[in-house]
Amino acid sequence: MNEPRKTRRLGADGTGIAEAAALLRAGGLVALPTETVYGLAADATSGTAVAGIYAAKERPSFNPLIAHLPDLEAARAQGVFDAAAGALAAAFWPGPLTLVVPVSPGCTVSELARAGLSSVALRVPAHPVALAVLQAAGRPIAAPSANRSGRISATSAAHVLADLDGRIDAVLDGGPTEVGVESTIVACLEAGPTLLRPGGVPREAIEAVLGRPLADAGTAGHAPISPGLLASHYAPAANVRLDAEGPRAGEAWLGFGPDATQWPVALNLSPSGDLREAAAHLFGHLRRLDEAGCDTIAVAAIPQDGLGEAINDRLRRAAAPR
């Protein structure tokens, strides 16, 4: 087992960014903000550094990691982009879209980060702090969500420290994240563009660029080819009851839309019914309700359109048997 670390809290300024990049180049672990959630970053080219991510998160080793790059040119050095992948990258990068593509002959992302696959998951984030760290580090950076595996994703530096204090070298504090759910993942492999995980870019926007529907991945019985495909994931300690009309006795309540009733333990993802606001609040609200100590969190029905697809995907995983 690794010796306990003292986790430093770095400011999101030039000094903090330079220190974070130096730690990453030395094989360290640094949590940093992206526009989606905080990522637990390590040098994606180093199997040892990537193993540190798995150890800190207690993450299943067959679940591959996303490699983050500063721009499309750097991403093309790691993966092979067909016409569809190129069009999606041009439309949505930098941004909350991950593309799973075949590895390039010169790919430097470690096999451990790729879980031994012949494909690689790539993303160019839109957060200025993340981009500055990637530029300064000068290499692909693996950065799954900065939380213990299967637990609620972190949308602030405080959330990171609640899960990982003493297990990582530093957290770069860039304030709360904007999107609040992870990136959409689309595979551009032999089967054609396939939605692996809904997220920060809605399906409809991707299909508009492609000019055709996305295929849906069936993952049952197969090892995941991207992050976020385990059945029980993003799980609080409390049980989660979906599509509830209200909480039962002793339950916490996670509402959505106008709700005049005041429950004893309750938060609302968006009183106005705004799915973007709901996505931004999702993990933070789940975490706060979980900390209240109730055995079950009852969750109001969430519309399925737009970002609602990603929100419902996370909630189903949180409610899955474990």
Side-chain angles (χ1 to χ4, degrees), residues 122-312:
L122 303 173
R123 183 164 96 87
V124 178
H127 198 289
V129 174
L131 287 173
V133 172
L134 291 169
Q135 289 280 7
R139 63 199 65 188
I141 297 297
S145 57
N147 54 278
R148 301 276 186 105
S149 185
R151 299 301 304 276
I152 301 168
S153 297
T155 54
S156 71
H159 293 166
V160 173
L161 291 171
D163 255 13
L164 298 174
D165 193 11
R167 302 175 69 88
I168 64 176
D169 295 295
V171 56
L172 190 59
D173 190 350
T177 59
E178 178 182 352
V179 176
V181 294
E182 290 90 342
S183 60
T184 303
I185 302 180
V186 174
C188 293
L189 302 170
E190 290 183 3
T194 302
L195 182 66
L196 301 183
R197 180 181 77 183
V201 178
R203 175 198 294 264
E204 298 89 340
I206 295 169
E207 292 177 340
V209 170
L210 293 174
R212 60 186 179 197
L214 283 165
D216 286 306
T219 61
H222 302 283
I225 63 170
S226 81
L229 295 182
L230 299 181
S232 176
H233 206 38
Y234 315 105
N239 294 317
V240 175
R241 185 167 66 87
L242 302 180
D243 298 324
E245 295 182 0
R248 298 168 182 162
E251 291 184 337
W253 174 242
L254 185 60
F256 177 80
D259 186 355
T261 305
Q262 296 298 311
W263 308 101
V265 182
L267 291 172
N268 196 313
L269 291 170
S270 174
S272 66
D274 184 329
L275 287 170
R276 187 168 180 175
E277 181 183 23
H281 287 160
L282 178 61
F283 291 124
H285 280 16
L286 276 174
R287 185 180 292 270
R288 286 172 61 191
L289 291 175
D290 200 30
E291 290 169 351
C294 296
D295 290 335
T296 299
I297 300 171
V299 183
I302 309 295
Q304 184 67 16
D305 57 296
L307 285 177
E309 184 177 18
I311 295 168
N312 281 304

